[in-house]
Amino acid sequence: MNYELLREFCIFRNIDMRFNEPMSMHTSLKIGGPADVVLFPDEHSLPELIKTLTKEGIPYIVIGGGTNILVKDRGIDGAVIFMLKMNNITLNAERLTLNAEAGCSLQKIINLCIEHGLSGMEGLAGIPGSVGGAVAGNAGSFGCEIRDVIKSISLLMPDGSQKKLSAKDIVFGYRKAHVPSGSIILSAVLSLKKDEPFEIKKRFIEFINEKKSRQPVSKPSAGCVFKNQKDIAAGKLIDDAGCKGMRVGDIEVSEMHANFFINTGKGTADDFLKLMDIVGKKVKDKFGIVLEPEIRILGR
Ligand SMILES: Cc1cc2nc3c(=O)[nH]c(=O)nc-3n(C[C@H](O)[C@H](O)[C@H](O)COP(=O)(O)OP(=O)(O)OC[C@H]3O[C@@H](n4cnc5c(N)ncnc54)[C@H](O)[C@@H]3O)c2cc1C
């Protein structure tokens, strides 16, 4: 791969870049080998950057907060694009809509909604990461999913063109939004309802407290490791298969919530994957159910 042209382009367009950057610095699990190059474009430089990467044949992936990914120890081939500089929020109080760029923190939006008496997002209280990541994974909790409030999204296509999709044109699944392959979510318009700030905040605090009492939110994890089954939580299956507290190296099945695997120190992706394998086999042996990963596993 020819990184020289990419380097020149990034210097010319003033895009922050770092070569051989450990991904452990950018994931909530604090795990991940080096990416060939990480890039921090803004909304103006992103389309040309994508065209350059496509032209040079450099593969790329997009990352928001890095809170739902396991990056392998050998790192990532090609470029990792961070969306964090694209974090503008525009509120339309009359229409009860909010346009959020993909790099915005989900929690920042919820706080803004509370402040302006806009309801609909509070069920996503405490979910870390970005709007782009939440849309890509149709993030949800407490019976609420981000799809419930999406009016439309804007996408950047691999050829550098942009496309707008309204909610009815997006197929959402369990922890998945089906967007065109290779596209990047640039922003989302959210449609909300008017309510009293006090009432919204009350619900928000209830959800946050419940989350804190059930999940090890302050420990390094990537959220739920496996998808829930139709009518039974993966955490319950893992717990009932006797896996709570199981360890491989420094990776541990949380005692608090069995579907969270914690990095207790110097855990590696290899250890994490081995533990997933062991837990998956235990659940399969006991219940005949094959668990599917919810976290995204990336890397070479
Ligand atoms: C303590 C904790 C609690 C959690 N609780 C929940 C919960 O209750 N419910 C829940 O659903 N999740 C939960 N999660 C998981 C995670 O926070 C969410 O899935 C979150 O929405 C991921 O956002 P992110 O920006 O960190 O995505 P990342 O981890 O950065 O990326 C996740 C995926 O989205 C893709 N992606 C990111 N941004 C874009 C973009 N702009 N365009 C296209 N693709 C993109 C990435 O390529 C990757 O495949 C939790 C995680 C932790 C650590």
Side-chain angles (χ1 to χ4, degrees):
M1 275 174 268
N2 186 350
Y3 286 113
E4 261 328 293
L5 279 168
L6 176 68
R7 188 194 295 272
E8 279 170 27
F9 171 82
C10 289
I11 292 170
F12 177 65
R13 294 301 300 257
N14 212 10
I15 299 173
D16 288 341
M17 68 184 148
R18 289 181 220 147
F19 286 89
N20 281 318
E21 172 92 338
M23 286 300 292
S24 53
M25 292 170 63
H26 301 283
T27 60
S28 54
L29 261 174
K30 304 192 189 311
I31 288 177
D36 287 349
V37 58
V38 298
L39 302 158
F40 299 85
D42 60 21
E43 67 270 37
H44 306 296
S45 51
L46 183 65
E48 284 301 317
L49 173 64
I50 294 302
K51 277 197 221 166
T52 304
L53 291 168
T54 305
K55 200 171 98 206
E56 294 305 313
I58 299 173
Y60 59 84
I61 56 166
V62 184
I63 297 293
T67 66
N68 199 27
I69 53 173
L70 173 68
V71 178
K72 291 187 185 168
D73 299 320
R74 292 180 59 221
I76 295 181
D77 273 331
V80 175
I81 300 172
F82 285 88
M83 299 296 283
L84 303 175
K85 286 195 175 171
M86 287 157 256
N87 58 11
N88 287 315
I89 306 174
T90 318
L91 191 75
N92 187 327
E94 246 170 56
R95 292 193 170 173
L96 305 179
T97 60
L98 187 151
N99 187 338
E101 286 186 335
C104 287
S105 134
L106 196 64
Q107 293 311 301
K108 189 172 156 195
I109 293 179
I110 298 178
N111 287 334
L112 196 80
C113 287
I114 295 173
E115 201 183 307
H116 288 85
L118 296 171
S119 167
M121 294 285 285
E122 55 273 25
L124 305 177
I127 301 181
S130 68
V131 169
V135 173
N138 187 22
S141 55
F142 303 111
C144 159
E145 290 176 321
I146 196 157
R147 71 190 286 181
D148 302 337
V149 292
I150 289 179
K151 194 165 189 267
S152 63
I153 61 173
S154 295
L155 298 172
L156 181 67
M157 308 305 286
D159 63 1
S161 65
Q162 292 192 22
K163 194 174 181 167
K164 194 168 172 177
L165 290 183
S166 60
K168 66 174 175 33
D169 299 322
I170 310 165
V171 178
F172 289 99
Y174 176 60
R175 300 295 169 263
K176 178 99 192 106
H178 297 269
V179 292
S181 157
S183 63
I184 296 176
I185 298 158
L186 290 176
S187 61
V189 178
L190 309 177
S191 178
L192 303 150
K193 290 193 186 92
K194 198 84 197 135
D195 199 354
E196 286 301 320
F198 171 78
E199 291 296 335
I200 305 172
K201 189 160 188 179
K202 204 170 113 198
R203 289 195 292 274
F204 170 80
I205 289 171
E206 277 167 16
F207 288 138
I208 283 278
N209 286 341
E210 186 158 351
K211 200 166 170 71
K212 279 186 187 159
S213 71
R214 289 198 331 214
Q215 299 178 356
V217 291
S218 59
K219 305 237 170 97
S221 81
C224 287
V225 177
F226 295 106
K227 290 181 179 172
N228 288 328
Q229 299 296 301
K230 240 184 217 147
D231 38 7
I232 182 151
K236 171 139 181 54
L237 292 170
I238 298 169
D239 190 1
D240 291 350
C243 300
K244 261 191 182 170
M246 242 178 200
R247 280 178 87 104
V248 174
D250 274 353
I251 306 295
E252 184 179 281
V253 178
S254 165
E255 292 279 2
M256 192 177 198
H257 189 312
N259 204 12
F260 278 61
F261 291 9
I262 307 296
N263 180 2
T264 62
K266 295 197 168 118
T268 65
D270 271 352
D271 293 342
F272 200 101
L273 290 166
K274 274 185 203 141
L275 191 57
M276 281 179 74
D277 202 39
I278 294 169
V279 167
K281 281 198 179 109
K282 288 256 180 209
V283 170
K284 168 103 194 321
D285 288 349
K286 180 135 191 182
F287 302 107
I289 292 172
V290 178
L291 292 176
E292 264 182 76
E294 179 169 323
I295 52 167
R296 319 288 171 111
I297 300 164
L298 306 173
R300 46 194 156 207

